[in-house]
Amino acid sequence: LYPNKRVGWDMRAGLRLLCPRRLPAVAATRRLGSRISSGRSLPRRFASSSSSAEDRGAPKAAAAPQAGTLLPPFLDECLRGVGQVIFLNSPASGALTLAALVYGDPWLGALAAAGTASATATARVAGLDAAAISAGLYGYNGCLVGCAFAVFLGLPAGSPAAAAAAVGGAALTAPLAAALKPLCGGVP
């Protein structure tokens, strides 16, 4: 990075050192970034498929599981719930995240999966919003509760009391999220 009188450090000069213009991906990213910052329209492959201005600005509703999916609906919803922890609405990202948790600490992964399943099942039994359930929006809090109880409860790994507490605590997150949703306004 080079000193700049106005800002202190010239970030672009530093980025040019790290990412020379001769790399095609860097040049394409710079062109795309300049189109976005100048307000010009994006190339067709980057533009959204919707044509109305209100659709482009608003976040899209969570999609239900695809009809051609090979996963049972409950498993799809649970994996999407794990994926929602890192803001990804995809069963593949949820499976990869869960696999990483299990690889790092099997007990953590087990309680994360149990918490997600508990919260998703509770949301289904309570008859909460089906689109939100299928997008994993009721399962991700249960995943986080399972992770927290695996780490912070202070019970040994494999403890039935920790598992029961995680499942029970995660089950409480679904009705709590439904009760707090009206207070959040437009947040899904």
Side-chain angles (χ1 to χ4, degrees):
L1 301 177
Y2 298 106
N4 184 339
K5 292 176 187 168
R6 228 174 12 127
V7 180
W9 294 99
D10 186 3
M11 191 62 129
R12 287 187 181 186
L15 287 176
R16 270 189 233 117
L17 287 174
L18 296 173
C19 305
R21 285 189 182 269
R22 65 181 176 271
L23 295 175
V26 172
T29 304
R30 285 185 177 145
R31 284 193 302 274
L32 182 61
S34 66
R35 281 180 178 255
I36 292 170
S37 63
S38 67
R40 291 183 286 170
S41 64
L42 294 175
R44 183 178 301 189
R45 66 178 177 248
F46 296 112
S48 69
S49 60
S50 63
S51 58
S52 67
E54 60 197 34
D55 286 343
R56 279 182 269 143
K60 295 190 187 282
Q66 299 297 325
T69 185
L70 299 175
L71 298 173
F74 184 72
L75 180 61
D76 183 81
E77 293 161 2
C78 288
L79 289 176
R80 286 178 190 271
V82 175
Q84 287 286 3
V85 171
I86 54 173
F87 306 108
L88 297 174
N89 182 11
S90 156
S93 64
L96 187 61
T97 303
L98 192 57
L101 288 173
V102 169
Y103 178 75
D105 182 0
W107 182 241
L108 179 77
L111 287 189
T116 305
S118 173
T120 303
T122 303
R124 282 179 138 205
V125 169
L128 299 177
D129 183 20
I133 294 170
S134 64
L137 294 176
Y138 286 111
Y140 79 92
N141 284 321
C143 180
L144 293 172
V145 166
C147 290
F149 280 19
V151 174
F152 298 115
L153 217 53
L155 296 173
S159 166
V167 168
L172 292 175
T173 63
L176 183 63
L180 292 177
K181 186 175 180 179
L183 300 174
C184 295
V187 178

